Amino acid sequence: MSVEKQLKAKSGYGMLVAVAVALIAIIGLFIWSTIGLASTPDGVDAPAVYGWGLGLSILAFCLWFIPLNGFFSLQPGQARVCILFGKYVGTVRDEGLFWANPFFSKSMGGSAGIGEMIELEMSDSKAAKAAAQKAAKGNPTTISTRVRTLNGERLKVNDKMGNPIEIATVVVWHVADTAKALFDVDDYQSYVAMQAETALRHVASVYAYDHLEDESDAAGAITLRANVEEVSEALRRELAMRLAPAGVEVDDARLTHLAYSPEIAQAMLRRQQAEAVIAARKKIVEGAVSMVDMAVKEMAAGGTIELDDERKAQMASNLMVVLCGESEAHPVLNAGSLY
């Protein structure tokens, strides 16, 4: 496993002045040599110093472009990984203009084989051609350490009970170790996207979508719908473990979409409606029983009306019908016989 090493690069402003002075000196030497050769009379050998000066100025001008390759600038939230002939030297995290060894690599180089790149280029898919071009160029050595957001697509997975559901997540992450991000994985951005999908599928299969009444531990079980915070924390821990080899830290992970798949959505909706109706009926019956009990006790305590057991049972039955019925009660009056 690679480990990031801090590297302090030289300030680029001093080297910029040195390069400018060197250019002025080279131009001055070239002009001095040219004038010296031109001012030499015909038939007289020019001094050798002018010839040497002209050749040296041309050679120095050709070599003058090499130090220019060593200049680079970094903005806040950027880092430069310095690689010298395939060897990792260190990472520069400071911001500003710097100058380093001009032979440090600008990119990681192509990671795909020639046959694989040819196969991708011959493909009709635009995505495959883009992947081939990216593989040929390689990852740049200047990478961003800023916080990034991965908005995942909706996935169709099965929960703990085997029910098909649709789920999506958003992951907030950043590169913490540049050496691991570039050397230990092929493409850390694709790695993050793939591992985010894998972790989401795993977490969704561990928990049930909702509580089921036939489960003995339904009241205390963690579900995807009722325990969003707990599920998000479990997803963040899962991602942190999976992305650690790539030098990536997960700042946050949240569920952005959660629903039953269309093929079972209507059935699950009817089940939820049935549960709501049962809960409402249960509450109504509990209230009606308490009201009947109170009415019977009040009438017995007053002493004005004496009811035997049969009358009490009949009154309780009538009150339960009135209180629990969905439609309004219509009383039937018994006027008795007139004759």
Side-chain angles (χ1 to χ4, degrees), residues 27-39 49-57:
I27 295 174
L29 179 61
F30 179 80
I31 294 175
W32 176 77
S33 301
T34 303
I35 294 175
L37 292 174
S39 62
V49 65
Y50 294 127
W52 282 102
L54 181 62
L56 182 61
S57 63

Side-chain angles (χ1 to χ4, degrees), residues 145-192:
T145 58
R146 302 184 181 101
V147 176
R148 310 186 193 188
T149 301
L150 174 64
N151 191 9
E153 299 180 355
R154 293 184 182 181
L155 304 178
K156 185 177 179 180
V157 299
N158 293 333
D159 66 352
K160 182 180 179 181
M161 307 304 297
N163 298 319
I165 62 174
E166 291 182 350
I167 191 170
T169 184
V170 58
V171 181
V172 181
W173 60 280
H174 70 277
V175 176
D177 193 309
T178 57
K180 291 182 179 180
L182 288 185
F183 303 132
D184 292 350
V185 294
D186 189 21
D187 186 351
Y188 67 92
Q189 298 187 53
S190 300
Y191 183 83
V192 170

Side-chain angles (χ1 to χ4, degrees), residues 30-275:
F30 179 80
I31 294 175
W32 176 77
S33 301
T34 303
I35 294 175
L37 292 174
S39 62
T40 302
D42 295 338
V44 179
D45 294 336
V49 65
Y50 294 127
W52 282 102
L54 181 62
L56 182 61
S57 63
I58 296 175
L59 178 62
F61 183 75
C62 294
L63 297 177
W64 177 80
F65 290 94
I66 295 179
L68 296 181
N69 196 45
F71 289 100
F72 66 94
S73 62
L74 293 177
Q75 300 176 4
Q78 286 185 331
R80 168 87 184 272
V81 178
C82 299
I83 306 171
L84 182 61
F85 302 123
K87 181 181 179 181
Y88 172 60
V89 179
T91 300
V92 180
R93 284 183 172 267
D94 300 325
E95 56 188 71
L97 178 65
F98 302 97
W99 185 87
N101 193 324
F103 296 102
F104 282 156
S105 301
K106 297 290 186 180
S107 65
M108 294 287 294
S111 58
I114 298 178
E116 183 180 353
M117 287 190 292
I118 293 177
E119 183 179 355
L120 292 174
E121 286 287 353
M122 295 297 292
S123 176
D124 295 334
S125 175
K126 295 182 179 180
K129 293 182 179 180
Q133 295 176 358
K134 185 176 181 179
K137 295 179 180 179
N139 293 324
T141 55
T142 300
I143 63 177
S144 173
T145 58
R146 302 184 181 101
V147 176
R148 310 186 193 188
T149 301
L150 174 64
N151 191 9
E153 299 180 355
R154 293 184 182 181
L155 304 178
K156 185 177 179 180
V157 299
N158 293 333
D159 66 352
K160 182 180 179 181
M161 307 304 297
N163 298 319
I165 62 174
E166 291 182 350
I167 191 170
T169 184
V170 58
V171 181
V172 181
W173 60 280
H174 70 277
V175 176
D177 193 309
T178 57
K180 291 182 179 180
L182 288 185
F183 303 132
D184 292 350
V185 294
D186 189 21
D187 186 351
Y188 67 92
Q189 298 187 53
S190 300
Y191 183 83
V192 170
M194 184 61 66
Q195 292 301 321
E197 178 178 341
T198 304
L200 181 59
R201 290 183 181 274
H202 178 261
V203 171
S205 64
V206 171
Y207 303 105
Y209 180 89
D210 202 353
H211 295 293
L212 297 178
E213 290 188 350
D214 56 351
E215 290 188 8
S216 59
D217 58 343
I222 296 178
T223 61
L224 297 174
R225 188 179 67 89
N227 305 94
V228 178
E229 295 295 332
E230 291 80 357
V231 173
S232 299
E233 180 61 23
L235 178 61
R236 191 194 66 80
R237 291 195 303 266
E238 180 81 11
L239 281 171
M241 180 185 65
R242 290 176 177 270
L243 297 180
V248 173
E249 287 188 2
V250 180
D251 299 322
D252 194 13
R254 296 283 174 177
L255 298 181
T256 57
H257 177 76
L258 181 64
Y260 283 113
S261 295
E263 57 266 25
I264 67 168
Q266 292 298 327
M268 290 301 177
L269 178 60
R270 288 195 296 269
R271 182 180 69 85
Q272 293 175 355
Q273 291 174 345
E275 291 177 352

